[in-house]
Amino acid sequence: SQKIEQNSEALNIQEGKTATLTCNYTNYSPAYLQWYRQDPGRGPVFLLLIRENEKEKRKERLKVTFDTTLKQSLFHITASQPADSATYLCALNTGGFKTIFGAGTRLFVKA
Amino acid sequence: EAEVAQSPRYKITEKSQAVAFWCDPISGHATLYWYRQILGQGPELLVQFQDESVVDDSQLPKDRFSAERLKGVDSTLKIQPAELGDSAMYLCASSLKGGSSYNEQFFGPGTRLTVL
């Protein structure tokens, strides 16, 4: 079955630096991959989607890359702010109906 | 801005009791999802509806869980009887379409269930 691995350890960075989060997957390649933000006690919020034929996607301070050879996606937040502190979830869809979520990586941005 | 509504936000129950959760998706969204999220883990899909039809319920414990979306709009998820291991956040999400249509999912605030 498809597995998604995200860094289980929290990522601590200083304000203004670039945060980079990793999402690795096994088995067959997803049709597309999504990144969500989740704050404590709340539902996830969609951030970005990247398709299997795309290498990179940008939205304001966010950037996602997708390497189907490495079976990996990287999620970058540039000029990070304390308000960016949250859990970031990677989710993939294999082209069928099902979306599979990773466990998420907790990001802490210190002022 | 349109949002997915869920109720109740919190539910405390004793094991062997029945519980029910309600979800009202964003108007016009054909696809509705119920997820269970245990603390420290990602959401796990329980059931997915396309309009009023179930398209995936492979991870739904059907001996105790049931879900319906009778008119293809709002949905109810029921657990009977509840067990201690059911304590989790139950999330509802909706999207315009599902599957390979590249649609983002919009999540509700969730229902936090505690089984004592």
Side-chain angles (χ1 to χ4, degrees):
Chain A
S1 62
Q2 188 67 274
K3 283 188 177 180
I4 301 177
E5 294 178 355
Q6 294 187 256
N7 290 348
S8 57
E9 291 185 12
L11 178 63
N12 290 279
I13 64 168
Q14 200 67 36
E15 182 177 12
K17 300 295 185 183
T18 296
T20 298
L21 286 69
T22 305
C23 174
N24 295 297
Y25 57 91
T26 60
N27 298 335
Y28 47 91
S29 293
Y32 60 92
L33 191 147
Q34 302 177 62
W35 284 88
Y36 288 79
R37 169 185 172 139
Q38 187 172 26
D39 291 288
R42 305 188 70 172
V45 175
F46 172 80
L47 295 174
L48 279 169
L49 179 151
I50 187 165
R51 303 176 186 182
E52 59 182 335
N53 60 349
E54 297 176 318
K55 295 291 185 184
E56 183 179 297
K57 204 76 164 289
R58 291 176 184 263
K59 179 182 177 182
E60 297 173 350
R61 295 184 295 112
L62 309 180
K63 184 178 84 171
V64 172
T65 62
F66 195 4
D67 189 324
T68 55
T69 301
L70 293 178
K71 295 186 184 294
Q72 182 181 80
S73 174
L74 298 179
F75 177 79
H76 306 272
I77 306 175
T78 58
S80 59
Q81 305 166 0
D84 295 326
S85 298
T87 295
Y88 291 87
L89 301 166
C90 168
L92 61 85
N93 181 289
T94 57
F97 287 108
K98 199 165 186 174
T99 299
I100 302 172
F101 282 83
T105 298
R106 189 80 171 91
L107 172 67
F108 293 96
V109 181
K110 294 179 287 187
Chain B
E1 183 176 314
E3 296 181 339
V4 175
Q6 286 189 251
S7 67
R9 291 294 310 278
Y10 304 92
K11 179 69 178 179
I12 299 174
T13 190
E14 295 184 346
K15 63 180 182 179
S16 80
Q17 295 298 304
V19 292
F21 312 132
W22 176 78
C23 173
D24 190 15
I26 293 173
S27 178
H29 281 196
T31 308
L32 185 146
Y33 315 78
W34 281 103
Y35 290 91
R36 176 171 59 188
Q37 186 174 26
I38 296 169
L39 197 61
Q41 298 183 20
E44 175 194 16
L45 181 69
L46 292 175
V47 61
Q48 179 175 341
F49 291 91
Q50 187 70 24
D51 298 310
E52 65 276 5
S53 301
V54 173
V55 295
D56 188 343
D57 63 357
S58 56
Q59 300 302 311
L60 188 71
K62 298 180 187 63
D63 57 335
R64 299 185 300 107
F65 286 64
S66 64
E68 60 182 17
R69 193 185 184 198
L70 293 176
K71 297 182 179 179
V73 181
D74 59 339
S75 175
T76 302
L77 178 70
K78 296 179 181 178
I79 308 174
Q80 183 175 17
E83 295 180 353
L84 295 178
D86 296 332
S87 295
M89 175 77 87
Y90 289 82
L91 294 162
C92 179
S94 69
S95 65
L96 278 172
K97 298 178 184 177
S100 59
S101 300
Y102 305 130
N103 274 279
E104 65 188 87
Q105 296 182 32
F106 294 82
F107 283 82
T111 296
R112 169 71 66 187
L113 173 67
T114 302
V115 182
L116 303 176

